[in-house]
Amino acid sequence: MMFWYGHGMNGWGWFVMSLSTVLFWALIITVGVLLFRALARPTPPVGGHSSWQKPPPGSGPEQILAERYARGEIDDEEYHRRLATLRGSPTDPAKPPVA
């Protein structure tokens, strides 16, 4: 009986109702996605590495240098020269240290 003879909602009423329905479902979907992402996030292992902790012992400068050598970014001579520099020994491993 409400819609007979033109009584009821006009064009703006339909527009506001449609917009509020779309916004309601967008809100529900956004909350669902955020909840899923929060619950599906992997937890770091006990004693694991996080950004505020000290890095594990194998990820120091010597490890990075070894990875670069393994990838072929530096050659054999440069690897040994830089490794000697990191360890505090003379730059040329073939020369004896000057006393």
Side-chain angles (χ1 to χ4, degrees):
M1 295 280 261
M2 184 172 153
F3 296 106
W4 292 2
Y5 307 111
H7 299 290
M9 283 195 285
N10 58 13
W12 284 108
W14 284 104
F15 175 73
V16 171
M17 184 180 68
S18 300
L19 183 64
S20 63
T21 302
V22 169
L23 290 176
F24 170 76
W25 284 110
L27 178 69
I28 295 296
I29 290 170
T30 302
V31 168
V33 167
L34 291 176
L35 186 63
F36 174 77
R37 288 181 66 189
L39 295 176
R41 182 173 295 150
T43 58
V46 175
H49 171 67
S50 68
S51 61
W52 56 272
Q53 292 176 333
K54 221 167 61 169
S59 66
E62 290 183 13
Q63 180 68 28
I64 295 171
L65 185 64
E67 290 172 2
R68 289 187 63 202
Y69 178 66
R71 285 193 300 261
E73 294 177 10
I74 56 176
D75 62 353
D76 191 44
E77 178 184 332
E78 185 175 358
Y79 171 73
H80 288 295
R81 182 175 50 83
R82 290 182 183 215
L83 186 61
T85 302
L86 285 174
R87 291 182 176 169
S89 59
T91 56
D92 188 4
K95 285 185 177 179
V98 178

